[in-house]
Amino acid sequence: MELVFACTMCHSDLAGQIRAGLLAGDLWREAAAMLLPFFIVLAIALSVRERSVQR
Amino acid sequence: MTRRPLIAAGLLLGAGLGGFIDGIVFHQILQLHGMLSARLPTDTLVNAKINMVWDGVFHCLTWLMTALGVSMLWGAARRADVPWSGRTFVGGLFGGWGLFNFVEGVIDHHLLGIHHVVERLGVSVYDYAFLGSGVAFMTLGAVLVSQRAISKSATPT
């Protein structure tokens, strides 16, 4: 492996491998893992706030 | 009078700041795990950098939660019917931090299994301690919020 500096946007071999790895993963699974905890907390916080608006 | 807007702001800010603690301390400083380290072990440069990208997405979401919390706190501060109570707000913060630890632990550590607190150990006592911290923080938050000692004198106008 070529050990050079590589940002994820550049054209080096290393950056290409990183992009390929990102695209090869189960993106839905990773996205769900990222988003679900935040959506659940957000939904609870909004429901707490919403009740006060309805009063 | 209603304390709910202040509690809701505290929940979001607590979840956002708690997420930052997880990401900064566990992912970056101690490097005990990465976002997908159970599936892509961080023992190669490519895998470490892929984990780093997903850690960045995670931090984007914690930033959004924090920004939303600040926005809600601003809205709560402008309402005359919301008592400005530090105890209630701190209770909301702990509640949000605990809720985030518990939900993130259940989903990411146990259900999806994308990472564990100490990755080299897999599912370990540290994962259950993480869930326990979530329950403990939520309990502390509930105790603080349930107190009726509200400082009305500091209510913003």
Side-chain angles (χ1 to χ4, degrees):
Chain A
M1 182 191 305
E2 185 186 2
L3 286 175
V4 294
F5 171 81
C7 72
T8 52
M9 304 293 287
C10 71
H11 297 285
S12 71
D13 289 343
L14 181 57
Q17 290 179 57
I18 294 162
R19 282 193 293 272
L22 286 167
L23 293 173
D26 294 330
L27 284 176
W28 67 268
R29 184 183 162 102
E30 278 93 58
M34 296 286 135
L35 291 172
L36 263 179
F38 289 99
F39 277 153
I40 290 171
V41 173
L42 184 61
I44 291 171
L46 289 177
S47 72
V48 168
R49 180 171 169 266
E50 189 62 28
R51 286 187 209 170
S52 73
V53 173
Q54 289 173 349
R55 279 186 177 179
Chain B
M1 300 293 278
T2 176
R3 296 181 298 160
R4 289 184 180 276
L6 193 56
I7 296 169
L11 285 174
L12 286 183
L13 274 169
L17 295 174
F20 276 128
I21 289 173
D22 181 0
I24 293 168
V25 175
F26 294 136
H27 293 214
Q28 295 179 318
I29 295 176
L30 299 177
Q31 300 192 10
L32 292 173
H33 62 258
M35 201 64 222
L36 302 178
S37 54
R39 301 184 63 236
L40 292 170
T42 56
D43 52 2
T44 67
L45 183 59
V46 171
N47 282 0
K49 287 176 80 73
I50 291 170
N51 271 279
M52 204 181 294
V53 171
W54 284 106
D55 285 346
V57 175
F58 174 77
H59 278 133
C60 286
L61 293 169
T62 57
W63 187 92
L64 279 175
M65 294 290 277
T66 306
L68 272 174
V70 170
S71 172
M72 271 196 196
L73 186 63
W74 181 264
R78 292 166 63 89
R79 287 177 56 170
D81 62 337
V82 177
W84 201 241
S85 162
R87 181 186 290 266
T88 300
F89 179 58
V90 172
L93 287 176
F94 273 108
W97 188 8
L99 185 63
F100 179 82
N101 279 9
F102 186 79
V103 171
E104 199 268 342
V106 168
I107 293 175
D108 290 348
H109 302 182
H110 296 279
L111 293 181
L112 294 176
I114 57 170
H115 66 251
H116 305 98
V117 175
V118 181
E119 196 57 75
R120 67 185 175 82
L121 299 178
V123 177
S124 69
V125 65
Y126 297 104
D127 293 285
Y128 294 103
F130 193 75
L131 292 181
S133 76
V135 173
F137 289 154
M138 281 191 286
T139 304
L140 176 60
V143 167
L144 289 170
V145 166
S146 69
Q147 299 294 319
R148 295 291 173 184
I150 298 169
S151 172
K152 294 181 180 176
S153 61
T155 302
T157 55

